[in-house]
Amino acid sequence: MQDNNNAPLYERLIQHIERRPLSFHVPGHKFGEVFSEKGYDIFQGILSIDATEVPGLDDLHAAAEIIKESQDLAARFFGSEETYFLVNGSTAGNMASILAACRPGDTVLVQRNCHKSVLHGLELAGVDPVFFTPEFEDHTSRYSFLHKNVIIEALELHPRASAVILTYPDYFGRAYPIKEVIDAVHQYDVPVIVDEAHGVHFSLGDPFPPSSVHAGADLVVQSAHKMAPALTMSSYLHISGERVNRARLSYYLQMLQSSSPSYPLMASLDLARLFLSTFEEKDKESLLSYLGKMREVIAGAEAPYRVLPVDLFDDPLKITLEAQKGYTGFDIAAKLESVGIYVELADTKQVLLIAGLSHSIELGRLKKRLSEVNWQLKSPDDHGTMKRELLSIPKVQSLALSYQDMQQETPEFVNWSQAAGRICAEAVIPYPPGIPFILKGERLTEQQIHYVQSLHEQGASFQNTDIKQGTWVF
Ligand SMILES: Cc1ncc(COP(=O)(O)O)c(C=O)c1O
């Protein structure tokens, strides 16, 4: 039996290449022997473990040997009954979870501030979502705190819902009493799916918020690549209990993921679990002390922002700056970028910085860069258009048109001035974070349109067809 100090899949890949195998199989780069010279030096290490399903290396879609061993170690560390490695991010995990737990026409209760992959999963599954909104918190200026009563109210109205889908924590690392919420849902014997894309490190324990796997969720999706050291696109899907059918889950995972899963991604999942499982109390203490100093350096810069304090429900790896003195979050982010400090995201009010699980940024260097920022705005007009309005979101909301009905309709593109009162045929998604303001199937209001236009004017990026002109509607 392997223990937590091993990375069986990674080690097996190394053994494989040490045998200097003669590759008469895909991929075409033949462990890096054939590759564009230009990228060879950088890619070489990764290409050497970019294998395929040959004997000894198992098969993600029918894991029985070395991949299963690595997945089992992950399950043991994270505390689930079973863990799947995902090579198409939490995106695939969210979609497969919804398809596995729900049938067309089912009512599903969904936390409103969810990622677009959840909405895409709902649409693919052809379910009827009922959205519930967490409470607005003045000190964070976000709808982020979910109280169990909100869920209980929704379940009283829809006791036959086939699933409750939560997002925990939010993009800014804000958590809530997850166990209370999950226990309340389980009183109705309804499965809980948690998009914990930003919480893979919660298994490290206090002072990180509790992991929803430990809190008893049925399915939990975590992006290893977001908060742990893993390659982009590598995620975990944890399943526990009998409420969701496992055969359906693995069927949809095969459908939504590549039939040639990347071994470097899977090996990085194996190594990310090893990293987390060997992260000791002393590492945590040293990290937290470093993060405290990092906050002091950031707060100490004479800059038009305030560093939001970390409270009980906050992930200490996330640092939120609140713009002040007439600046927007976009202004602050642009100023930081001008001295080579790149942030995770910005909005009208805030800027999110994500620190990793290591002392990767030298604090002296950070202080120097911050001191080099010229905080003057080019002209008063730079922030003259700034609007800090708040978008009001209904507490509980269904779509104005079901996904099935939308399939039958042909959308048209209209100018924003003609969009109010029409049903949105594309979600309006600022990116990052990829969390829609307006849902596909929702009836558009003047306030929403005004809000989106104002955000666009202030520099927010959207993934929509032509956000400047208008949108697609039914
Ligand atoms: C809350 C949330 N869920 C899911 C995802 C999708 O994750 P991935 O990039 O691993 O596919 C994201 C990505 O930003 C996210 O923020």
Side-chain angles (χ1 to χ4, degrees), residues 60-61 71 82-100 219 221 235-239 245-259 261:
L60 177 67
H61 294 302
Q71 292 185 144
E82 238 181 297
T83 290
Y84 294 88
F85 285 175
L86 304 176
V87 292
N88 190 16
S90 294
T91 295
N94 283 337
M95 296 200 291
S97 298
I98 294 167
L99 286 158
L219 291 172
V221 180
S235 294
Y236 303 109
L237 170 51
H238 309 289
I239 180 163
N245 183 295
R246 295 185 193 197
R248 275 176 71 91
L249 184 64
S250 69
Y251 171 75
Y252 285 113
L253 282 173
Q254 285 193 47
M255 190 185 273
L256 295 169
Q257 300 201 100
S258 171
S259 62

Side-chain angles (χ1 to χ4, degrees), residues 12 55 103 122 128 151 161 181 196 213 292 306 391 403 436:
R12 179 66 59 84
R103 318 255 166 179
L122 299 171
D128 289 330
I151 298 279
V181 173
E196 199 173 274
V213 182
R306 172 175 91 92
L391 187 62
Y403 291 124

Side-chain angles (χ1 to χ4, degrees), residues 94 97-98 101-102 163-166 191-195 218-221:
N94 283 337
S97 298
I98 294 167
C102 313
V164 169
I165 305 174
L166 306 174
V192 181
I193 300 171
V194 183
D195 176 357
D218 301 80
L219 291 172
V220 179
V221 180

Side-chain angles (χ1 to χ4, degrees), residues 81 189 191 218 239-246:
E81 286 174 13
D189 200 24
D218 301 80
I239 180 163
S240 301
E242 303 303 322
R243 291 189 187 87
V244 179
N245 183 295
R246 295 185 193 197

Side-chain angles (χ1 to χ4, degrees), residues 157-198:
L157 291 173
H158 303 280
R160 295 168 65 83
S162 61
V164 169
I165 305 174
L166 306 174
T167 301
Y168 169 95
D170 73 2
Y171 214 105
F172 289 78
R174 184 95 181 126
Y176 50 78
I178 188 73
K179 184 154 175 23
E180 284 181 20
V181 173
I182 293 173
D183 287 349
V185 179
H186 283 167
Q187 293 287 316
Y188 295 77
D189 200 24
V190 170
V192 181
I193 300 171
V194 183
D195 176 357
E196 199 173 274
H198 292 267

